[in-house]
Amino acid sequence: MIKNFFKKHSIHKKVVKQFDWLFAFNLPKFFILAAIFSWGMASAYFQVNSSYLSYFNTNFNYSDIVIYIGFFLLLGGLNIQSELDKLKYTFESTKKEYVSDNNNLSYPILASYILNVHNLKKISIISIFLGIFIISLNSVSVIPTLLLYSYLNLFIYKIIIKKNSYIQNVLFSISSNFFLFISGWIYKTASFTQIIEYIPIYLLAVTPIILTYEHVYFEQFEQKSINTKVVFSISALMLISVFCITYFLNIDPIISHFALIVLPFYFFALFRGLPKDFIRSFIYPIMVINILLSWTLFPYLFMFILLNFYICKYYYWHRFDIHFPKFTIEENS
């Protein structure tokens, strides 16, 4: 009875419309953004402060709360700008009015497609500046890298989506996310020498996910053929390499576990090569890294991703009749 109420009662159709402005911040993307920032903090723990490591620490730190509020506002504002850039590019390239015709969308619709664009731009600018201000109150050291991340997403991203190049998309994602990763690291320590030493591990760990995500995107939405064998062979070799480096040199146990857990998904994609295998190769690693981080160092991260997951499920189901996000991948997904 309770289950039917949450799934079928007509009141939810009215309630979720009030969530549109919240979802303009693109809440599902925070599964990735929060994981990258937290991974940067975790790597700093292991590389610099390993002697002070406290697993599953539930101490409540108000300064962290301030950082995360600013973090949410800044990245949420940038997410709005990114979606508006994609909306503009999509209309210019296809001449389809995605704002009024939701049926044209073959991926989960974002709130920016159904809200007033002019108001969204205002909210985005206010949110970005407010986020930077709040973060600077508590940690000025992370501002330079977050500004670089913001610059890439505000000005370079629109150039990247216009060129519509697989390689350029991959390079952009690797570089922009690196500044987010570095911000998490700097928030915990200012050991720049060890950041430089960690770059190869970052590249080996994050590149496979980006390669496979862009592979699926270009195959499904841009109708461009990408060499599947090459993409997943390179990805599998990178994961094997990062596992060997982090495990045998005892550098970062989270990344060594991550690489070992997600490697089978890349083997399935390489040797079986079904569409659902390709999708799993980037969806499941995102889930795995969030779980590893939240079950070791950041238990409050688990509370956030769990709450975010079910809010997203509720919103997309009652707003657009879409099961999203989901981990059950069908053949026609």
Side-chain angles (χ1 to χ4, degrees):
M1 183 176 179
I2 296 177
K3 183 179 179 182
N4 285 334
F5 170 79
F6 279 106
K7 287 190 69 175
K8 299 179 180 179
H9 200 284
S10 59
I11 192 173
H12 300 299
K13 293 289 185 183
K14 300 177 181 178
V15 171
V16 291
K17 289 182 179 180
Q18 309 306 314
F19 289 13
D20 286 343
W21 289 103
L22 176 63
F23 273 81
F25 286 88
N26 196 351
L27 293 192
K29 195 173 181 179
F30 279 92
F31 291 117
I32 302 171
L33 302 179
I36 294 172
F37 187 80
S38 301
W39 174 26
M41 290 196 295
S43 300
Y45 274 124
F46 288 117
Q47 294 298 97
V48 182
N49 300 317
S50 58
S51 59
Y52 303 102
L53 217 60
S54 178
Y55 287 97
F56 212 77
N57 186 358
T58 56
N59 291 335
F60 196 81
N61 190 330
Y62 285 99
S63 63
D64 286 346
I65 298 299
V66 173
I67 283 289
Y68 295 142
I69 291 174
F71 177 81
F72 176 81
L73 290 171
L74 170 61
L75 298 186
L78 292 172
N79 287 346
I80 293 175
Q81 289 292 334
S82 296
E83 291 305 315
L84 291 175
D85 287 338
K86 283 197 290 186
L87 177 62
K88 181 180 178 182
Y89 166 76
T90 302
F91 177 74
E92 289 177 350
S93 61
T94 64
K95 302 303 179 185
K96 293 179 180 178
E97 183 51 80
Y98 283 69
V99 175
S100 60
D101 186 1
N102 296 337
N103 293 324
N104 282 326
L105 292 170
S106 55
Y107 54 93
I109 190 170
L110 298 171
S112 57
Y113 291 94
I114 56 175
L115 298 172
N116 183 279
V117 172
H118 183 68
N119 289 338
L120 279 172
K121 289 180 179 179
K122 287 183 179 179
I123 290 175
S124 174
I125 294 170
I126 294 172
S127 182
I128 290 170
F129 280 100
L130 186 59
I132 292 173
F133 174 73
I134 292 174
I135 293 170
S136 65
L137 292 176
N138 194 38
S139 180
V140 177
S141 58
V142 302
I143 294 299
T145 50
L146 286 176
L147 287 177
L148 286 170
Y149 176 83
S150 302
Y151 175 79
L152 288 175
N153 283 274
L154 286 173
F155 302 106
I156 306 301
Y157 179 70
K158 61 182 65 177
I159 299 173
I160 296 297
I161 59 176
K162 285 181 181 179
K163 291 186 176 180
N164 204 22
S165 164
Y166 174 77
I167 297 298
Q168 289 187 359
N169 276 33
V170 168
L171 293 176
F172 173 83
S173 295
I174 292 173
S175 57
S176 64
N177 287 323
F178 180 67
F179 288 117
L180 199 57
F181 170 84
I182 290 297
S183 299
W185 183 302
I186 293 174
Y187 178 59
K188 287 303 175 185
T189 180
S191 178
F192 292 100
T193 302
Q194 289 178 299
I195 290 176
I196 295 172
E197 294 174 354
Y198 198 88
I199 290 176
I201 296 173
Y202 166 83
L203 292 174
L204 289 171
V206 79
T207 302
I209 303 174
I210 294 173
L211 283 173
T212 52
Y213 170 79
E214 295 296 344
H215 171 271
V216 172
Y217 174 78
F218 273 82
E219 289 276 352
Q220 290 190 359
F221 303 128
E222 299 295 338
Q223 302 299 314
K224 292 184 178 181
S225 180
I226 309 296
N227 194 314
T228 301
K229 294 294 183 182
V230 171
V231 168
F232 284 94
S233 295
I234 292 173
S235 300
L237 287 174
M238 284 184 166
L239 288 170
I240 293 171
S241 299
V242 76
F243 168 75
C244 292
I245 293 171
T246 54
Y247 177 77
F248 291 111
L249 298 181
N250 195 24
I251 295 177
D252 190 331
I254 286 182
I255 295 305
S256 60
H257 281 80
F258 167 79
L260 190 63
I261 293 169
V262 305
L263 191 56
F265 299 120
Y266 288 83
F267 283 142
F268 269 104
L270 179 61
F271 296 110
R272 189 169 67 172
L274 297 178
K276 63 180 179 181
D277 297 325
F278 304 150
I279 298 174
R280 284 171 178 162
S281 67
F282 67 85
I283 288 181
Y284 288 175
I286 293 169
M287 174 187 69
V288 168
I289 192 63
N290 274 289
I291 290 175
L292 288 174
L293 288 167
S294 61
W295 287 6
T296 52
L297 297 176
F298 311 115
Y300 293 118
L301 174 64
F302 180 74
M303 295 172 60
F304 167 74
I305 59 177
L306 194 65
L307 180 63
N308 192 28
F309 178 80
Y310 282 106
I311 288 177
C312 290
K313 292 282 284 186
Y314 176 81
Y315 176 78
Y316 284 111
W317 171 250
H318 291 290
R319 192 70 171 98
F320 307 111
D321 296 322
I322 296 174
H323 285 290
F324 180 81
K326 61 179 181 177
F327 295 114
T328 303
I329 311 299
E330 308 296 340
E331 291 293 342
N332 58 351
S333 292

